[in-house]
Amino acid sequence: MSLKAVLFGFNGIVINDEAIRQELSDQLLLDENLRPDEEDYKQVCLGRSDSACLKGLLAQRGRTVSEDTLDKLLTKKTLGYQQWLNRLEKLPLYAGLDDLIFRCRAANVKMAIVTGAQRQQVISVLEKAELAEYFSVIVADEAVSAAGSKPAPDAYLRAVEQLNVTYPELNLEKGDCIAIEDSFSGIESAKRADIAVVGVAHVYPNHMLQRRATWVVDYLREIKLDWI
């Protein structure tokens, strides 16, 4: 394949923020007089969008919400996330991220973020990390419906479309891309979009990703663009 674009997951690939994401989701449930549960969160939310996560958690507890109410909950979660970021002296970015971005730039490979997080959360992290200029395309929660959340392929297909709009001379095809993912849902999403995927053992152990991803590594620094 001729590698033209690398599509990065965000939570679990760029930043190690799952603990605060669960804490914020738990608080939203408590505010609704509902009891959070760690196993529910893992089952419903890992690798899925903020919208799909909240809708799923509420549905498990017999609650349905209007789109307006869901938007208010998501706004509240994003505010809490921003407050968490503001308290941090150093972002919990994954080791090897800077080096991988440098190598992509050196190879003239375009980069995009494909995530279920809210767009403002992604922008805030990238700006604080001084990485925003390297990601010309961000496909976040708002870009797809909750039903189109990972593991559906929608977000990855949208990323390819947006890269072609941004760089029409690229003539990007799905086979020209790789995805970098940490979760089962994210890996399945990329594969369903016919995009080869590198599974990184940041959340799940290496052996649990072996039969799911095209390639598996333990750390971002182990990704070698020349063998893809």
Side-chain angles (χ1 to χ4, degrees), residues 11-202:
N11 317 108
I13 292 297
V14 172
I15 186 168
N16 184 359
D17 63 354
E18 201 58 58
I20 186 62
R21 298 180 71 76
Q22 180 176 348
E23 181 181 320
L24 292 170
S25 296
D26 288 351
Q27 187 58 53
L28 289 176
L29 291 179
L30 289 170
D31 291 346
E32 296 293 315
N33 295 313
L34 298 171
R35 180 177 297 178
D37 181 272
E38 183 175 356
E39 289 305 312
D40 282 353
Y41 181 85
K42 290 178 180 178
Q43 179 184 355
V44 174
C45 296
L46 284 184
R48 305 193 69 207
S49 71
D50 282 346
S51 297
C53 168
L54 288 177
K55 289 184 78 169
L57 290 174
L58 291 167
Q60 280 188 334
R61 291 155 178 79
R63 294 279 184 91
T64 57
V65 291
S66 66
E67 289 303 313
D68 182 59
T69 299
L70 181 62
D71 286 344
K72 290 177 180 177
L73 292 173
L74 291 170
T75 298
K76 191 173 182 179
K77 185 173 183 179
T78 293
L79 176 60
Y81 191 90
Q82 185 64 55
Q83 291 171 341
W84 171 73
L85 284 179
N86 293 342
R87 294 194 298 269
L88 294 176
E89 292 186 10
K90 182 178 180 181
L91 290 174
L93 303 179
Y94 280 99
L97 177 66
D98 285 343
D99 176 65
L100 180 56
I101 290 173
F102 175 82
R103 289 187 284 116
C104 287
R105 293 175 61 210
N108 197 29
V109 171
K110 307 304 181 186
M111 290 174 281
I113 297 287
V114 182
T115 180
Q118 294 285 290
R119 183 179 182 85
Q120 187 55 54
Q121 296 174 19
V122 179
I123 291 172
S124 295
V125 169
L126 294 180
E127 288 181 346
K128 187 164 184 172
E130 300 183 348
L131 298 174
E133 64 182 295
Y134 306 130
F135 294 94
S136 54
V137 167
I138 298 172
V139 177
D141 186 14
E142 298 92 330
V144 297
S145 67
S149 166
K150 299 175 184 179
D154 302 36
Y156 275 105
L157 296 175
R158 182 68 61 87
V160 174
E161 291 174 2
Q162 290 193 12
L163 282 167
N164 273 321
V165 170
T166 305
Y167 306 103
E169 73 284 357
L170 202 60
N171 295 315
L172 187 67
E173 302 286 346
K174 293 177 286 187
D176 302 325
C177 307
I178 61 164
I180 303 177
E181 281 284 358
D182 67 296
S183 69
F184 297 160
S185 292
I187 290 170
E188 184 178 345
S189 174
K191 292 179 71 176
R192 288 172 63 180
D194 294 323
I195 295 172
V197 55
V198 180
V200 186
H202 284 163

